[in-house]
Amino acid sequence: MRILSRIALLSLTTAAHAATVVYDFNVSWITANPDGLAERPVIGINNQWPPPRIDVQVGDRLIVNLHNSLGDEDTSLHFHGLFMNGTNHMDGPVMVTQCPIPPGASFTYNFTVDQPGTYWYHSHNKGQYPDGFRGPLVIHDPKAPFEYDEELVLTVSDWYHDRMSLLQPRFMSKYNPTGAEPVPKSALMNDTQNLTMPMVPDRTYLFRIANIGAFAGQYIWVEDHTITVVEMDGVYVHPTETNMVYVAAAQRCSFLLTAKKETSRNFPIIASMDTTLFDTIPPGLNTNVTSYLLYNPTAPLPLPTPLDTLTPLDDTLLLPQDNLTTLPSPDQTITLNVTMNNLASGANYAFFNDITYVPPRVPTLYTVLSSPNSSSSQGDLTTNPSIYGTYTHPFILSHNSIVQLVLNNLDSGRHPFHLHGHQFQILHRSAADEGTWSSSSSTPDPNNSNHTAAPMRRDTLVVEPNGNAVIRFQADNPGVWLFHCHIEWHMISGLAVTFIEAPSILQQTINLPADHLAACRDRKDPIPFEGNAAGRGGNSKDLSQWLVLDGQPTPPKPIPAGFTGGGIAALTMSCFTGILGVAVVAWYGFSEPVGESNTAAAAGVKIKSPAAAGESGSESGVYTDVDSAGKSASVVRVKRGTEAVESEALSFGSEEEAVNGVGMVSKKGDGVVVDVDAITRA
């Protein structure tokens, strides 16, 4: 039992002036066993794991000095949910806003936080963060619109026992053609289990919940307590009471809980993984993780009461505290259809509009910064989406335009979609199995009066299986921003697009620090930091080179729609072989069974049956006939019911030699019967 060692109890403080908060992160492999089931390598910070919580206040400057001591892997750091307004190059996704940080290198993230709420940080490099490189980030707000006495910060997550470098190749393999995601081995709360949190009677606690897992959404509830939701993904909401919340991977939720006055009992707080996301549920998997509100240290810690149904709060019905009304009609509408399918490699990939994301050869932000603009004699290419590559799936957004995304989930699973650099309004979300968004439904959901007044906002939204959603945001934050599914397996398999927002303004406002360029240049495999997605045009005076995409990274080819030449040949031979096989079986079935008389006729010899020789009737054997002179023998092998007949004439010096020569078992008169395995020849 761990008490408070991994719980934050913070008293309220008020800062008179903004501060500069500095964290030094030395990132390396260490060993941990958080669920008590298996030790494994994890990515620790400063030789400790779990990673530390980052705490700042609104208006502070946050500096994180990261040194990569992993030895065998690149890395990066993303601050999930932060707008990074004016500092897009600090956002962190590899090959989007920076090069990966190689082993032995250092990199500084430096930006101002101007939004309150509950967030988290994690590696954004090749599916790395489920190896443990993730932790909570809290931006405290002295002017928060609700009152409480203490904060409790809780992370929930799924947990694997193998490194991602082992799991990913198995997942993206022809031997996993359905794209079944690896099922977690357990669930964690604050990177442990059986956590206890001492309660002071009648005190009000602010619980900050962040799902920092790779895959599973979590249903969260506290037995015999009502909770009051006050924040979702950094958006303050009008206080809303409920008994349960659903927090998908990457989402956050804050709620108030007032401790009971009576202290005779302790109460479980439960996080239960959403098993509808799993293709299979392995025997013995505990899908829940339980912690406890500890009112009485001497009282037992009760097991959770099983629930027949899980009915969480509908987050789309919440009302933002600032009552921001629905944004105007969109200037740009982008429809994204979600599908999963196999490519020629045999592996299963994820697609928006039949395009699976592949990182470019040059980080997309660096392509923006190095591309010819309107002041160049070469002409303006910053707003030409082709220079950013086919498989980054780029969309150019005009500054301050209203953008509407229509999400049609044609997949049979839930997807939590996350937008970097923005919060979006949720205008509509269908139930499961309602199909695509109808083009006739051009207004917000008429069944939800909240939407017409002040739609809920957040940065990560769950879209239901075979359902749809409509979201809207203002492109008021110049930058290169990913929009992607935050199930890490789906990010790995390509479920992402790139929004390139006001690129000409980016060129005027961002100067890359030296360590950003060094991360590209000073490595065993240098990465170009100028040019288009294929690395062309950066050092060329020939404008046309910017439009040449030969050499851009590409996914495997699609599976051919029809049969290939080899497939036709294989099918033809298979059909011929099948027909021939049927013919042989038919011929065999209609053939006459072979008996002794047929065998004798075929051999042209006199045969004594086993019965005539004094033997019981056997199904097979070797029959011989020795002449009266005893100097020769005819040997016939017979297997009844077949046409397997062999005959041979042997000569011997005497009858005794003839009998011995054929390995006779018994003799009656002039006939002998010899066992098939006992034949010897002179």
Side-chain angles (χ1 to χ4, degrees):
M1 184 185 301
R2 299 178 175 90
I3 301 178
L4 274 180
S5 61
R6 291 172 184 169
I7 288 292
L9 288 177
L10 305 176
S11 60
L12 292 177
T13 60
T14 300
H17 303 285
T20 297
V21 181
V22 179
Y23 286 84
D24 295 318
F25 282 2
N26 184 19
V27 179
S28 64
W29 291 105
I30 60 175
T31 301
N33 185 5
D35 60 3
L37 298 176
E39 281 198 346
R40 57 150 296 177
V42 298
I43 297 177
I45 294 177
N46 302 333
N47 208 36
Q48 293 184 340
W49 194 88
R53 188 178 72 246
I54 292 177
D55 285 289
V56 291
Q57 286 199 351
V58 174
D60 285 350
R61 174 167 292 278
L62 175 61
I63 299 175
V64 178
N65 299 309
L66 188 153
H67 183 76
N68 182 0
S69 295
L70 292 173
D72 60 347
E73 290 189 7
D74 296 335
T75 195
S76 79
L77 195 57
H78 169 60
F79 303 87
H80 183 101
L82 299 193
F83 298 149
M84 295 293 176
N85 202 311
T87 52
N88 178 224
H89 55 305
M90 300 295 173
D91 193 42
V94 162
M95 301 311 295
V96 180
T97 62
Q98 67 169 82
C99 288
I101 306 167
S106 296
F107 195 100
T108 296
Y109 295 92
N110 183 344
F111 54 92
T112 298
V113 291
D114 55 6
Q115 57 193 111
T118 308
Y119 304 90
W120 61 300
Y121 64 88
H122 61 86
S123 166
H124 214 303
N125 177 56
K126 297 182 179 179
Q128 186 181 63
Y129 82 78
D131 281 332
F133 191 7
R134 72 285 186 282
L137 188 162
V138 177
I139 304 176
H140 302 279
D141 182 9
K143 300 179 180 179
F146 43 82
E147 295 182 355
Y148 58 96
D149 300 305
E150 294 183 16
E151 288 184 8
L152 298 176
V153 179
L154 290 179
T155 62
V156 293
S157 65
D158 44 32
W159 187 246
Y160 294 90
H161 290 165
D162 291 324
R163 280 179 57 170
M164 292 296 285
S165 59
L166 297 176
L167 292 174
Q168 286 190 57
R170 300 174 196 166
F171 171 61
M172 295 300 297
S173 165
K174 64 182 179 181
Y175 301 108
N176 183 32
T178 64
E181 302 87 352
V183 176
K185 298 298 185 181
S186 59
L188 303 176
M189 192 175 291
N190 274 13
D191 285 320
T192 188
Q193 294 181 338
N194 298 315
L195 186 72
T196 58
M197 295 164 276
M199 293 285 106
V200 176
D202 212 26
R203 177 166 288 191
T204 297
Y205 295 86
L206 174 66
F207 280 76
R208 296 184 182 270
I209 310 291
N211 186 339
I212 62 175
F215 184 14
Q218 303 268 3
Y219 296 91
I220 299 171
W221 69 98
V222 186
E223 283 198 6
D224 202 25
H225 287 69
T226 298
I227 60 178
T228 302
V229 175
V230 293
E231 178 224 340
M232 288 278 192
D233 290 1
V235 176
Y236 291 141
V237 300
H238 289 282
T240 304
E241 288 190 354
T242 187
N243 294 314
M244 180 183 294
V245 292
Y246 181 91
V247 185
Q251 289 185 325
R252 292 88 62 213
C253 173
S254 295
F255 57 78
L256 299 174
L257 181 148
T258 299
K260 295 179 178 295
K261 296 180 180 180
E262 200 271 328
T263 61
S264 62
R265 297 174 53 199
N266 300 312
F267 296 90
I269 175 171
I270 303 100
S272 181
M273 291 191 289
D274 180 1
T275 58
T276 66
L277 296 170
F278 302 165
D279 280 33
T280 60
I281 301 178
L285 174 65
N286 183 2
T287 59
N288 293 351
V289 59
T290 303
S291 296
Y292 292 93
L293 304 187
L294 192 67
Y295 285 89
N296 187 339
T298 63
L301 300 177
L303 293 175
T305 302
L307 299 180
D308 294 330
T309 58
L310 300 172
T311 54
L313 175 72
D314 184 347
D315 59 314
T316 68
L317 301 181
L318 295 171
L319 284 169
Q321 187 77 238
D322 59 12
N323 298 312
L324 182 65
T325 57
T326 303
L327 290 169
S329 297
D331 302 300
Q332 184 175 5
T333 297
I334 300 170
T335 298
L336 297 174
N337 296 323
V338 179
T339 54
M340 305 283 183
N341 213 335
N342 298 87
L343 293 178
S345 66
N348 190 272
Y349 288 79
F351 302 83
F352 278 127
N353 298 350
D354 298 323
I355 297 176
T356 186
Y357 179 90
V358 180
R361 197 171 299 281
V362 176
T364 304
L365 174 63
Y366 296 4
T367 294
V368 172
L369 298 180
S370 61
S371 62
N373 55 36
S374 57
S375 64
S376 170
S377 59
Q378 295 179 310
D380 187 1
L381 288 179
T382 59
T383 57
N384 187 333
S386 65
I387 71 171
Y388 303 110
T390 304
Y391 300 102
T392 63
H393 207 164
F395 293 90
I396 308 298
L397 308 183
S398 299
H399 190 220
N400 283 324
S401 63
I402 305 300
V403 181
Q404 180 162 292
L405 301 184
V406 176
L407 306 173
N408 293 318
N409 181 12
L410 307 181
D411 182 51
S412 59
R414 286 174 170 151
H415 292 278
F417 290 113
H418 170 56
L419 176 60
H420 288 226
H422 292 275
Q423 294 164 346
F424 47 75
Q425 293 182 330
I426 306 169
L427 301 188
H428 170 82
R429 180 175 64 188
S430 78
D433 299 318
E434 290 193 5
T436 60
W437 169 254
S438 171
S439 60
S440 62
S441 302
S442 58
T443 58
D445 183 3
N447 297 320
N448 185 352
S449 60
N450 294 348
H451 287 170
T452 60
M456 179 56 192
R457 301 193 311 277
R458 60 186 316 167
D459 59 54
T460 307
L461 174 69
V462 174
V463 182
E464 295 295 330
N466 296 305
N468 63 80
V470 180
I471 61 178
R472 192 176 292 178
F473 66 96
Q474 185 169 18
D476 56 2
N477 188 10
V480 177
W481 308 114
L482 280 182
F483 178 77
H484 64 95
C485 178
H486 220 291
I487 290 175
E488 195 64 7
W489 304 113
H490 299 168
M491 182 65 191
I492 291 166
S493 59
L495 198 50
V497 301
T498 308
F499 293 137
I500 300 165
E501 185 175 331
S504 60
I505 295 178
L506 276 177
Q507 288 190 335
Q508 301 168 22
T509 55
I510 290 183
N511 292 308
L512 296 177
D515 56 357
H516 283 59
L517 301 179
C520 305
R521 182 184 59 241
D522 300 339
R523 53 189 303 121
K524 294 180 180 178
D525 51 342
I527 298 171
F529 47 82
E530 292 181 332
N532 65 15
R536 296 175 177 270
N539 297 317
S540 174
K541 295 182 179 180
D542 182 1
L543 179 65
S544 64
Q545 284 297 303
W546 277 91
L547 302 176
V548 177
L549 272 299
D550 293 348
Q552 70 170 323
T554 61
K557 294 181 179 179
I559 296 175
F563 282 104
T564 62
I568 293 172
L571 179 62
T572 302
M573 290 302 297
S574 297
C575 293
F576 174 76
T577 304
I579 293 170
L580 181 62
V582 170
V584 170
V585 170
W587 170 74
Y588 175 84
F590 286 108
S591 64
E592 183 180 356
V594 178
E596 292 174 5
S597 60
N598 295 333
T599 304
V605 297
K606 180 182 177 182
I607 296 181
K608 298 292 185 178
S609 69
E615 298 293 322
S616 60
S618 63
E619 289 301 315
S620 63
V622 175
Y623 300 84
T624 70
D625 198 27
V626 182
D627 67 7
S628 58
K631 294 184 179 181
S632 67
S634 295
V635 180
V636 180
R637 307 168 190 266
V638 179
K639 184 165 180 64
R640 298 209 173 194
T642 75
E643 297 186 7
V645 177
E646 298 179 19
S647 66
E648 186 175 2
L650 304 175
S651 296
F652 300 93
S654 66
E655 181 179 359
E656 182 179 359
E657 289 179 4
V659 170
N660 291 335
V662 298
M664 181 176 59
V665 173
S666 63
K667 178 182 179 185
K668 290 279 187 174
D670 61 355
V672 294
V673 177
V674 183
D675 185 85
V676 68
D677 295 325
I679 295 176
T680 61
R681 292 184 176 85

